[in-house]
Amino acid sequence: MQHPRQPRSSTTVIIERRNQRERVRVRAVNEAFARLRQMVPATRSAPKRVSKVKTLKRAAEYIGVLQRRLTVMARGQDKL
């Protein structure tokens, strides 16, 4: 015999919606980190998944490398 379902309180509905929004947010953050890992050479070929903190650190390092390359290239253009 099934028990009659009790109506959910408005508080329960609010909490369920908040939890669902948080799950969607976490999924979006995780997908963004996965895309970032694919763009940063130091994390792209790592045998194990790289943590979010290491991913951010390595991305910042990579941006620095790219900035230095651009600076060198710009100096080379100035000499022409």
Side-chain angles (χ1 to χ4, degrees):
M1 178 175 175
Q2 286 185 337
H3 295 284
R5 223 173 177 207
Q6 293 183 0
R8 296 184 304 178
S9 71
S10 62
T11 304
T12 302
V13 171
I14 290 169
I15 292 170
E16 287 174 356
R17 286 181 185 160
R18 182 178 61 212
N19 289 343
Q20 179 60 30
R21 282 192 309 270
E22 178 63 8
R23 283 190 293 274
V24 169
R25 186 194 70 77
V26 167
R27 192 174 308 122
V29 168
N30 288 336
E31 288 171 2
F33 270 98
R35 287 192 309 270
L36 182 60
R37 284 185 193 102
Q38 291 302 311
M39 294 177 166
V40 178
T43 60
R44 189 179 311 148
S45 59
K48 290 175 26 177
R49 199 189 108 222
V50 179
S51 74
K52 291 174 184 173
V53 171
K54 283 187 180 178
T55 299
L56 290 174
K57 287 179 180 180
R58 290 179 178 170
E61 291 168 1
Y62 185 53
I63 290 168
V65 168
L66 295 176
Q67 286 176 325
R68 286 188 293 280
R69 284 185 185 175
L70 287 173
T71 300
V72 168
M73 289 172 60
R75 287 182 186 153
Q77 294 293 323
D78 291 343
K79 293 179 182 178
L80 295 178

